Amino acid sequence: MFKFIKGHLESIAGIEIYPMISLLIFFIFFVVLFYWVITAKKDYITTVSNIPLDNQNDTEI
């Protein structure tokens, strides 16, 4: 089945650019995410990590 898909995709002109674009988007996303994690303030991380433990906003059903 992979041979069928590969053969079909090879017949499309200009298709070789899409894997490179996908890799570039993937790489840029994770570089930006890594930068955001490294530069995040400790107060914000502490606040966000305590959200599940905060019982003040719970509503009883």
Side-chain angles (χ1 to χ4, degrees):
M1 182 157 154
F2 183 67
K3 291 180 182 179
F4 174 73
I5 294 170
K6 185 178 177 183
H8 180 66
L9 290 177
E10 287 176 347
S11 66
I12 301 172
I15 196 72
E16 64 274 357
I17 192 70
Y18 290 108
M20 288 184 258
I21 291 173
S22 302
L23 180 64
L24 187 64
I25 290 171
F26 178 81
F27 183 75
I28 289 172
F29 173 77
F30 280 103
V31 166
V32 170
L33 186 66
F34 182 72
Y35 176 76
W36 179 78
V37 167
I38 295 300
T39 59
K41 295 182 179 181
K42 286 285 191 183
D43 295 337
Y44 176 74
I45 293 175
T46 303
T47 303
V48 172
S49 65
N50 287 331
I51 288 175
L53 304 174
D54 186 19
N55 292 329
Q56 295 175 0
N57 294 333
D58 288 345
T59 57
E60 305 233 356
I61 297 174

